Amino acid sequence: MTVKARIPDHIMRTSRIKKDKTQITINIVTYILVTIFCIMCILPFWMIIASSFASEDSIRRTGFTLWPTEVSTYSYELLFRSPDQMLGAYAVTIGLTLVGTLIGLFIVSMTGYALQRRDFPYRNGIMFYIYFTSLFSAGLVPFYLLIVQYLNLRDSYFAILLPLLMSPWLIVLMKNFVKAIPHEITESGKIDGAGDFRIFYSLVLPNLKPALATIGLFLALSYWNEWYYSSLFLTTKVTYRPLQYHLYNVINKVASLKNSVAGSNVVIKDLPGETLKMATAVIATGPIILLYPFVQKYFVAGLTVGAVKG
């Protein structure tokens, strides 16, 4: 017969009170730190928004502040002076982002899946070729000649769409995501008589939602922020250019106009400089920020795939 020692009730209550106080203290400290961190992240965005609605003269006198001393919408009026150009730039950028992200996800996911298949005989050689291109490239001149002379894509949106469809880093990332899927899943599909595309579409893709959200966000950001290829391959013959390149041209035109009248007797209305840059930042980053909350849960899960082995 065994006798179990019984802990007195007052000791249990004291221990429970100490644990409760410790947990409350930890929660308070955590909430304070998270609040401070959130404020530090929000303040720069708020300062950009506030400065975009400030007058250029107040920026010169007081600098950037959290609240504009003189409210002015002249920067936005200047940007939307040609609303058809702004709306066209938005339409081009949204179209390129949607089409490029969908096609890029399709290509990157299939490539990562194929390179992870054990029965694919040339996967090591192809993976080395992809990895090699991430370390060495031919340079800008051969790339420009390829797009302009051989592919004849000058003044075409395909010159922006094609180079950003996939990258070696995204393929390696997708390959590591697919590695976390058990090989038995594809084997069960083969036993049931499913083909490769059926296995990929029905069995592999549903398990790649975190990966698709993560890589899709990277692709969407790259298309949304693209301006370099636009400056190389799109000339004045193109009516509507991507948003970032359109805003870049507006800022350059205003800066050139201000420099051209500096020191002369020409009197013009005070053109915005710093406030115009802040307004373009708000216009360029505002819509894409709204995309992040929809993919946040998949994005966090995607970053932690493979971090814990069990």
Side-chain angles (χ1 to χ4, degrees), residues 156-222:
S156 173
Y157 294 129
F158 284 102
I160 304 171
L161 181 68
L162 295 180
L164 298 176
L165 279 179
M166 57 193 305
S167 69
W169 182 72
L170 293 181
I171 294 175
V172 173
L173 186 62
M174 179 60 75
K175 180 176 178 291
N176 292 330
F177 277 122
V178 179
K179 188 185 297 184
I181 300 177
H183 183 66
E184 289 74 15
I185 293 180
T186 58
E187 291 296 331
S188 64
K190 288 182 179 180
I191 294 174
D192 293 336
D196 291 332
F197 281 99
R198 182 68 176 178
I199 294 173
F200 174 74
Y201 178 76
S202 300
L203 300 179
V204 177
L205 277 185
N207 293 284
L208 288 179
K209 288 182 179 179
L212 296 176
T214 304
I215 296 177
L217 182 62
F218 290 145
L219 286 171
L221 288 175
S222 63

Side-chain angles (χ1 to χ4, degrees), residues 23-156:
Q23 188 63 40
I24 292 173
T25 304
I26 294 174
N27 291 339
I28 292 174
V29 173
T30 302
Y31 285 133
I32 292 175
L33 293 177
V34 171
T35 302
I36 294 174
F37 180 75
C38 291
I39 293 174
M40 293 174 61
C41 294
I42 293 174
L43 278 181
F45 289 102
W46 175 254
M47 184 173 291
I48 291 175
I49 296 173
S51 300
S52 67
F53 285 99
S55 63
E56 189 70 18
D57 186 58
S58 65
I59 294 293
R60 284 197 295 263
R61 285 187 285 102
T62 61
F64 299 101
T65 57
L66 294 177
W67 193 262
T69 56
E70 296 179 6
V71 179
S72 174
T73 59
Y74 184 51
S75 297
Y76 291 97
E77 294 174 4
L78 185 63
L79 289 174
F80 286 93
R81 182 162 294 179
S82 299
D84 57 332
Q85 290 292 327
M86 182 62 70
L87 294 177
Y90 262 117
V92 170
T93 300
I94 293 174
L96 287 174
T97 302
L98 291 177
V99 175
T101 301
L102 292 177
I103 298 177
L105 279 177
F106 182 70
I107 296 176
V108 171
S109 60
M110 284 202 307
T111 305
Y113 168 68
L115 293 175
Q116 190 55 35
R117 285 282 296 265
R118 298 177 181 177
D119 54 349
F120 184 46
Y122 305 106
R123 59 175 184 165
N124 292 331
I126 295 177
M127 193 64 224
F128 174 78
Y129 173 77
I130 294 174
Y131 180 71
F132 184 83
T133 59
S134 66
L135 301 177
F136 304 96
S137 63
L140 178 60
V141 174
F143 175 70
Y144 183 84
L145 294 176
L146 173 66
I147 297 294
V148 174
Q149 292 189 5
Y150 292 94
L151 299 180
N152 196 22
L153 294 178
R154 188 180 181 88
D155 294 328
S156 173

